[in-house]
mmCIF file of all heavy atoms in Angstrom:
data_model
loop_
_atom_site.group_PDB
_atom_site.id
_atom_site.type_symbol
_atom_site.label_atom_id
_atom_site.label_comp_id
_atom_site.label_asym_id
_atom_site.label_seq_id
_atom_site.Cartn_x
_atom_site.Cartn_y
_atom_site.Cartn_z
ATOM 1 N N GLY A 156 10.173 -51.325 -18.671
ATOM 2 C CA GLY A 156 10.105 -52.305 -17.600
ATOM 3 C C GLY A 156 10.007 -51.681 -16.234
ATOM 4 O O GLY A 156 10.419 -52.288 -15.243
ATOM 5 N N ARG A 157 9.523 -50.472 -16.162
ATOM 6 C CA ARG A 157 9.459 -49.743 -14.886
ATOM 7 C C ARG A 157 8.016 -49.396 -14.563
ATOM 8 O O ARG A 157 7.240 -49.002 -15.436
ATOM 9 C CB ARG A 157 10.296 -48.482 -14.950
ATOM 10 C CG ARG A 157 10.344 -47.702 -13.644
ATOM 11 C CD ARG A 157 11.204 -46.473 -13.791
ATOM 12 N NE ARG A 157 12.590 -46.828 -14.042
ATOM 13 C CZ ARG A 157 13.356 -46.290 -14.954
ATOM 14 N NH1 ARG A 157 12.857 -45.362 -15.747
ATOM 15 N NH2 ARG A 157 14.618 -46.654 -15.107
ATOM 16 N N GLY A 158 7.672 -49.546 -13.312
ATOM 17 C CA GLY A 158 6.363 -49.140 -12.848
ATOM 18 C C GLY A 158 6.461 -47.922 -11.952
ATOM 19 O O GLY A 158 7.559 -47.441 -11.643
ATOM 20 N N VAL A 159 5.344 -47.421 -11.540
ATOM 21 C CA VAL A 159 5.299 -46.256 -10.654
ATOM 22 C C VAL A 159 4.359 -46.570 -9.507
ATOM 23 O O VAL A 159 3.195 -46.953 -9.726
ATOM 24 C CB VAL A 159 4.822 -44.987 -11.398
ATOM 25 C CG1 VAL A 159 4.775 -43.808 -10.433
ATOM 26 C CG2 VAL A 159 5.725 -44.678 -12.575
ATOM 27 N N LEU A 160 4.878 -46.433 -8.298
ATOM 28 C CA LEU A 160 4.071 -46.609 -7.095
ATOM 29 C C LEU A 160 3.512 -45.250 -6.680
ATOM 30 O O LEU A 160 4.271 -44.309 -6.412
ATOM 31 C CB LEU A 160 4.913 -47.193 -5.963
ATOM 32 C CG LEU A 160 4.168 -47.509 -4.666
ATOM 33 C CD1 LEU A 160 3.238 -48.705 -4.870
ATOM 34 C CD2 LEU A 160 5.144 -47.778 -3.528
ATOM 35 N N VAL A 161 2.210 -45.134 -6.660
ATOM 36 C CA VAL A 161 1.540 -43.877 -6.292
ATOM 37 C C VAL A 161 1.096 -43.989 -4.842
ATOM 38 O O VAL A 161 0.315 -44.876 -4.481
ATOM 39 C CB VAL A 161 0.335 -43.611 -7.203
ATOM 40 C CG1 VAL A 161 -0.334 -42.297 -6.825
ATOM 41 C CG2 VAL A 161 0.761 -43.592 -8.665
ATOM 42 N N PHE A 162 1.608 -43.085 -4.016
ATOM 43 C CA PHE A 162 1.321 -43.102 -2.579
ATOM 44 C C PHE A 162 0.677 -41.770 -2.213
ATOM 45 O O PHE A 162 1.282 -40.711 -2.388
ATOM 46 C CB PHE A 162 2.622 -43.302 -1.797
ATOM 47 C CG PHE A 162 2.427 -43.592 -0.347
ATOM 48 C CD1 PHE A 162 2.302 -44.900 0.110
ATOM 49 C CD2 PHE A 162 2.358 -42.561 0.586
ATOM 50 C CE1 PHE A 162 2.128 -45.169 1.462
ATOM 51 C CE2 PHE A 162 2.186 -42.820 1.920
ATOM 52 C CZ PHE A 162 2.068 -44.130 2.371
ATOM 53 N N ALA A 163 -0.572 -41.817 -1.754
ATOM 54 C CA ALA A 163 -1.323 -40.578 -1.469
ATOM 55 C C ALA A 163 -1.639 -40.498 0.018
ATOM 56 O O ALA A 163 -2.256 -41.405 0.575
ATOM 57 C CB ALA A 163 -2.601 -40.532 -2.287
ATOM 58 N N THR A 164 -1.207 -39.392 0.644
ATOM 59 C CA THR A 164 -1.466 -39.163 2.060
ATOM 60 C C THR A 164 -2.589 -38.152 2.210
ATOM 61 O O THR A 164 -2.550 -37.070 1.596
ATOM 62 C CB THR A 164 -0.205 -38.629 2.768
ATOM 63 O OG1 THR A 164 0.866 -39.558 2.556
ATOM 64 C CG2 THR A 164 -0.445 -38.460 4.252
ATOM 65 N N ASP A 165 -3.566 -38.470 3.004
ATOM 66 C CA ASP A 165 -4.697 -37.572 3.232
ATOM 67 C C ASP A 165 -4.241 -36.394 4.096
ATOM 68 O O ASP A 165 -3.836 -36.569 5.249
ATOM 69 C CB ASP A 165 -5.838 -38.329 3.915
ATOM 70 C CG ASP A 165 -7.131 -37.511 3.951
ATOM 71 O OD1 ASP A 165 -7.051 -36.282 3.906
ATOM 72 O OD2 ASP A 165 -8.214 -38.127 4.026
ATOM 73 N N VAL A 166 -4.254 -35.205 3.517
ATOM 74 C CA VAL A 166 -3.841 -33.996 4.248
ATOM 75 C C VAL A 166 -4.996 -33.005 4.332
ATOM 76 O O VAL A 166 -4.776 -31.788 4.412
ATOM 77 C CB VAL A 166 -2.614 -33.338 3.572
ATOM 78 C CG1 VAL A 166 -1.396 -34.234 3.680
ATOM 79 C CG2 VAL A 166 -2.915 -32.996 2.103
ATOM 80 N N THR A 167 -6.204 -33.529 4.319
ATOM 81 C CA THR A 167 -7.374 -32.650 4.314
ATOM 82 C C THR A 167 -7.387 -31.730 5.526
ATOM 83 O O THR A 167 -7.637 -30.521 5.404
ATOM 84 C CB THR A 167 -8.666 -33.486 4.269
ATOM 85 O OG1 THR A 167 -8.635 -34.337 3.119
ATOM 86 C CG2 THR A 167 -9.887 -32.593 4.211
ATOM 87 N N ASP A 168 -7.109 -32.282 6.702
ATOM 88 C CA ASP A 168 -7.120 -31.460 7.915
ATOM 89 C C ASP A 168 -6.083 -30.351 7.826
ATOM 90 O O ASP A 168 -6.354 -29.195 8.202
ATOM 91 C CB ASP A 168 -6.864 -32.332 9.143
ATOM 92 C CG ASP A 168 -8.024 -33.284 9.424
ATOM 93 O OD1 ASP A 168 -9.131 -33.036 8.897
ATOM 94 O OD2 ASP A 168 -7.820 -34.265 10.156
ATOM 95 N N HIS A 169 -4.894 -30.715 7.337
ATOM 96 C CA HIS A 169 -3.850 -29.691 7.205
ATOM 97 C C HIS A 169 -4.242 -28.646 6.167
ATOM 98 O O HIS A 169 -4.027 -27.445 6.375
ATOM 99 C CB HIS A 169 -2.528 -30.344 6.803
ATOM 100 C CG HIS A 169 -1.981 -31.298 7.822
ATOM 101 N ND1 HIS A 169 -1.369 -30.874 8.975
ATOM 102 C CD2 HIS A 169 -1.975 -32.654 7.867
ATOM 103 C CE1 HIS A 169 -0.991 -31.923 9.694
ATOM 104 N NE2 HIS A 169 -1.346 -33.018 9.040
ATOM 105 N N ALA A 170 -4.818 -29.109 5.059
ATOM 106 C CA ALA A 170 -5.230 -28.164 4.016
ATOM 107 C C ALA A 170 -6.317 -27.230 4.516
ATOM 108 O O ALA A 170 -6.296 -26.021 4.240
ATOM 109 C CB ALA A 170 -5.715 -28.933 2.783
ATOM 110 N N GLU A 171 -7.275 -27.783 5.267
ATOM 111 C CA GLU A 171 -8.341 -26.946 5.807
ATOM 112 C C GLU A 171 -7.796 -25.956 6.830
ATOM 113 O O GLU A 171 -8.224 -24.802 6.879
ATOM 114 C CB GLU A 171 -9.427 -27.818 6.419
ATOM 115 C CG GLU A 171 -10.221 -28.621 5.383
ATOM 116 C CD GLU A 171 -11.241 -29.543 6.017
ATOM 117 O OE1 GLU A 171 -11.205 -29.678 7.271
ATOM 118 O OE2 GLU A 171 -12.075 -30.106 5.284
ATOM 119 N N ALA A 172 -6.842 -26.423 7.654
ATOM 120 C CA ALA A 172 -6.233 -25.508 8.629
ATOM 121 C C ALA A 172 -5.473 -24.395 7.913
ATOM 122 O O ALA A 172 -5.530 -23.224 8.315
ATOM 123 C CB ALA A 172 -5.299 -26.277 9.562
ATOM 124 N N ALA A 173 -4.751 -24.754 6.835
ATOM 125 C CA ALA A 173 -4.025 -23.743 6.074
ATOM 126 C C ALA A 173 -4.981 -22.753 5.419
ATOM 127 O O ALA A 173 -4.715 -21.551 5.382
ATOM 128 C CB ALA A 173 -3.153 -24.415 5.010
ATOM 129 N N GLU A 174 -6.104 -23.264 4.925
ATOM 130 C CA GLU A 174 -7.086 -22.373 4.308
ATOM 131 C C GLU A 174 -7.710 -21.443 5.341
ATOM 132 O O GLU A 174 -7.943 -20.265 5.075
ATOM 133 C CB GLU A 174 -8.169 -23.196 3.607
ATOM 134 C CG GLU A 174 -9.261 -22.356 2.944
ATOM 135 C CD GLU A 174 -8.725 -21.362 1.947
ATOM 136 O OE1 GLU A 174 -7.721 -21.672 1.266
ATOM 137 O OE2 GLU A 174 -9.303 -20.260 1.855
ATOM 138 N N ARG A 175 -7.964 -21.990 6.542
ATOM 139 C CA ARG A 175 -8.495 -21.122 7.608
ATOM 140 C C ARG A 175 -7.485 -20.044 7.966
ATOM 141 O O ARG A 175 -7.862 -18.891 8.222
ATOM 142 C CB ARG A 175 -8.837 -21.965 8.840
ATOM 143 C CG ARG A 175 -10.084 -22.826 8.668
ATOM 144 C CD ARG A 175 -10.561 -23.357 10.007
ATOM 145 N NE ARG A 175 -9.572 -24.249 10.619
ATOM 146 C CZ ARG A 175 -9.527 -25.553 10.437
ATOM 147 N NH1 ARG A 175 -10.413 -26.145 9.639
ATOM 148 N NH2 ARG A 175 -8.614 -26.292 11.041
ATOM 149 N N LEU A 176 -6.206 -20.407 7.986
ATOM 150 C CA LEU A 176 -5.173 -19.420 8.278
ATOM 151 C C LEU A 176 -5.126 -18.357 7.192
ATOM 152 O O LEU A 176 -5.033 -17.157 7.481
ATOM 153 C CB LEU A 176 -3.816 -20.112 8.413
ATOM 154 C CG LEU A 176 -2.613 -19.203 8.686
ATOM 155 C CD1 LEU A 176 -2.811 -18.433 9.995
ATOM 156 C CD2 LEU A 176 -1.322 -20.007 8.726
ATOM 157 N N ARG A 177 -5.185 -18.806 5.927
ATOM 158 C CA ARG A 177 -5.179 -17.831 4.825
ATOM 159 C C ARG A 177 -6.406 -16.934 4.879
ATOM 160 O O ARG A 177 -6.324 -15.727 4.619
ATOM 161 C CB ARG A 177 -5.104 -18.561 3.483
ATOM 162 C CG ARG A 177 -3.758 -19.180 3.182
ATOM 163 C CD ARG A 177 -3.684 -19.639 1.726
ATOM 164 N NE ARG A 177 -4.577 -20.755 1.472
ATOM 165 C CZ ARG A 177 -4.235 -22.025 1.585
ATOM 166 N NH1 ARG A 177 -3.016 -22.348 1.957
ATOM 167 N NH2 ARG A 177 -5.100 -22.988 1.309
ATOM 168 N N ALA A 178 -7.557 -17.522 5.213
ATOM 169 C CA ALA A 178 -8.774 -16.715 5.327
ATOM 170 C C ALA A 178 -8.643 -15.691 6.440
ATOM 171 O O ALA A 178 -9.076 -14.538 6.309
ATOM 172 C CB ALA A 178 -9.983 -17.618 5.569
ATOM 173 N N SER A 179 -8.029 -16.110 7.550
ATOM 174 C CA SER A 179 -7.820 -15.179 8.661
ATOM 175 C C SER A 179 -6.886 -14.047 8.254
ATOM 176 O O SER A 179 -7.128 -12.878 8.581
ATOM 177 C CB SER A 179 -7.236 -15.927 9.865
ATOM 178 O OG SER A 179 -6.929 -15.042 10.910
ATOM 179 N N GLU A 180 -5.820 -14.396 7.510
ATOM 180 C CA GLU A 180 -4.895 -13.362 7.039
ATOM 181 C C GLU A 180 -5.588 -12.413 6.069
ATOM 182 O O GLU A 180 -5.335 -11.204 6.094
ATOM 183 C CB GLU A 180 -3.683 -14.022 6.380
ATOM 184 C CG GLU A 180 -2.789 -14.761 7.369
ATOM 185 C CD GLU A 180 -1.675 -15.516 6.667
ATOM 186 O OE1 GLU A 180 -1.762 -15.669 5.426
ATOM 187 O OE2 GLU A 180 -0.722 -15.929 7.342
ATOM 188 N N ARG A 181 -6.462 -12.996 5.209
ATOM 189 C CA ARG A 181 -7.202 -12.119 4.279
ATOM 190 C C ARG A 181 -8.109 -11.160 5.040
ATOM 191 O O ARG A 181 -8.208 -9.975 4.691
ATOM 192 C CB ARG A 181 -8.016 -12.964 3.302
ATOM 193 C CG ARG A 181 -7.200 -13.642 2.219
ATOM 194 C CD ARG A 181 -8.098 -14.173 1.110
ATOM 195 N NE ARG A 181 -9.016 -15.193 1.584
ATOM 196 C CZ ARG A 181 -8.757 -16.490 1.570
ATOM 197 N NH1 ARG A 181 -7.590 -16.924 1.137
ATOM 198 N NH2 ARG A 181 -9.649 -17.366 1.997
ATOM 199 N N ARG A 182 -8.772 -11.681 6.083
ATOM 200 C CA ARG A 182 -9.658 -10.803 6.871
ATOM 201 C C ARG A 182 -8.844 -9.715 7.566
ATOM 202 O O ARG A 182 -9.274 -8.554 7.630
ATOM 203 C CB ARG A 182 -10.434 -11.630 7.886
ATOM 204 C CG ARG A 182 -11.533 -12.493 7.276
ATOM 205 C CD ARG A 182 -12.455 -13.039 8.337
ATOM 206 N NE ARG A 182 -11.760 -13.922 9.259
ATOM 207 C CZ ARG A 182 -11.630 -15.225 9.096
ATOM 208 N NH1 ARG A 182 -12.157 -15.812 8.032
ATOM 209 N NH2 ARG A 182 -10.996 -15.964 9.989
ATOM 210 N N GLN A 183 -7.677 -10.100 8.102
ATOM 211 C CA GLN A 183 -6.843 -9.096 8.763
ATOM 212 C C GLN A 183 -6.391 -8.030 7.774
ATOM 213 O O GLN A 183 -6.378 -6.833 8.085
ATOM 214 C CB GLN A 183 -5.626 -9.772 9.400
ATOM 215 C CG GLN A 183 -5.961 -10.666 10.587
ATOM 216 C CD GLN A 183 -4.733 -11.316 11.161
ATOM 217 O OE1 GLN A 183 -3.636 -10.801 11.056
ATOM 218 N NE2 GLN A 183 -4.924 -12.478 11.762
ATOM 219 N N ARG A 184 -6.014 -8.486 6.577
ATOM 220 C CA ARG A 184 -5.586 -7.515 5.581
ATOM 221 C C ARG A 184 -6.741 -6.614 5.165
ATOM 222 O O ARG A 184 -6.580 -5.403 5.009
ATOM 223 C CB ARG A 184 -5.028 -8.227 4.353
ATOM 224 C CG ARG A 184 -4.502 -7.252 3.293
ATOM 225 C CD ARG A 184 -3.867 -7.994 2.133
ATOM 226 N NE ARG A 184 -3.270 -7.049 1.207
ATOM 227 C CZ ARG A 184 -3.919 -6.443 0.218
ATOM 228 N NH1 ARG A 184 -5.216 -6.686 0.053
ATOM 229 N NH2 ARG A 184 -3.306 -5.596 -0.583
ATOM 230 N N GLU A 185 -7.931 -7.221 4.975
ATOM 231 C CA GLU A 185 -9.098 -6.414 4.624
ATOM 232 C C GLU A 185 -9.401 -5.396 5.710
ATOM 233 O O GLU A 185 -9.772 -4.253 5.417
ATOM 234 C CB GLU A 185 -10.296 -7.329 4.390
ATOM 235 C CG GLU A 185 -10.197 -8.160 3.107
ATOM 236 C CD GLU A 185 -11.269 -9.222 3.029
ATOM 237 O OE1 GLU A 185 -12.092 -9.295 3.978
ATOM 238 O OE2 GLU A 185 -11.297 -9.983 2.042
ATOM 239 N N THR A 186 -9.225 -5.808 6.972
ATOM 240 C CA THR A 186 -9.441 -4.864 8.073
ATOM 241 C C THR A 186 -8.448 -3.721 8.005
ATOM 242 O O THR A 186 -8.805 -2.547 8.164
ATOM 243 C CB THR A 186 -9.311 -5.597 9.423
ATOM 244 O OG1 THR A 186 -10.309 -6.623 9.494
ATOM 245 C CG2 THR A 186 -9.494 -4.631 10.582
ATOM 246 N N ALA A 187 -7.161 -4.078 7.774
ATOM 247 C CA ALA A 187 -6.135 -3.043 7.702
ATOM 248 C C ALA A 187 -6.365 -2.115 6.521
ATOM 249 O O ALA A 187 -6.223 -0.893 6.634
ATOM 250 C CB ALA A 187 -4.748 -3.692 7.613
ATOM 251 N N VAL A 188 -6.730 -2.696 5.362
ATOM 252 C CA VAL A 188 -6.983 -1.869 4.174
ATOM 253 C C VAL A 188 -8.190 -0.963 4.400
ATOM 254 O O VAL A 188 -8.178 0.222 4.044
ATOM 255 C CB VAL A 188 -7.192 -2.757 2.933
ATOM 256 C CG1 VAL A 188 -7.679 -1.918 1.754
ATOM 257 C CG2 VAL A 188 -5.904 -3.476 2.570
ATOM 258 N N THR A 189 -9.245 -1.521 5.019
ATOM 259 C CA THR A 189 -10.435 -0.715 5.295
ATOM 260 C C THR A 189 -10.098 0.439 6.227
ATOM 261 O O THR A 189 -10.527 1.580 6.018
ATOM 262 C CB THR A 189 -11.538 -1.589 5.914
ATOM 263 O OG1 THR A 189 -11.880 -2.634 5.000
ATOM 264 C CG2 THR A 189 -12.779 -0.759 6.208
ATOM 265 N N LEU A 190 -9.319 0.132 7.285
ATOM 266 C CA LEU A 190 -8.903 1.192 8.207
ATOM 267 C C LEU A 190 -8.074 2.231 7.479
ATOM 268 O O LEU A 190 -8.287 3.441 7.641
ATOM 269 C CB LEU A 190 -8.106 0.585 9.366
ATOM 270 C CG LEU A 190 -7.481 1.585 10.360
ATOM 271 C CD1 LEU A 190 -8.566 2.413 11.036
ATOM 272 C CD2 LEU A 190 -6.640 0.854 11.389
ATOM 273 N N GLN A 191 -7.125 1.753 6.672
ATOM 274 C CA GLN A 191 -6.262 2.674 5.939
ATOM 275 C C GLN A 191 -7.067 3.590 5.030
ATOM 276 O O GLN A 191 -6.891 4.807 5.037
ATOM 277 C CB GLN A 191 -5.251 1.856 5.121
ATOM 278 C CG GLN A 191 -4.392 2.670 4.171
ATOM 279 C CD GLN A 191 -3.193 3.273 4.853
ATOM 280 O OE1 GLN A 191 -3.174 3.402 6.062
ATOM 281 N NE2 GLN A 191 -2.203 3.646 4.077
#
Side-chain angles (χ1 to χ4, degrees):
R157 183 180 295 134
V159 179
L160 184 70
V161 181
F162 191 90
T164 304
D165 190 335
V166 294
T167 303
D168 292 342
H169 297 284
E171 291 177 351
E174 179 56 34
R175 287 194 296 270
L176 178 60
R177 288 191 292 269
S179 175
E180 291 174 346
R181 285 194 297 268
R182 287 193 297 270
Q183 291 179 27
R184 183 176 185 274
E185 289 170 0
T186 299
V188 171
T189 300
L190 175 61
Q191 173 84 340

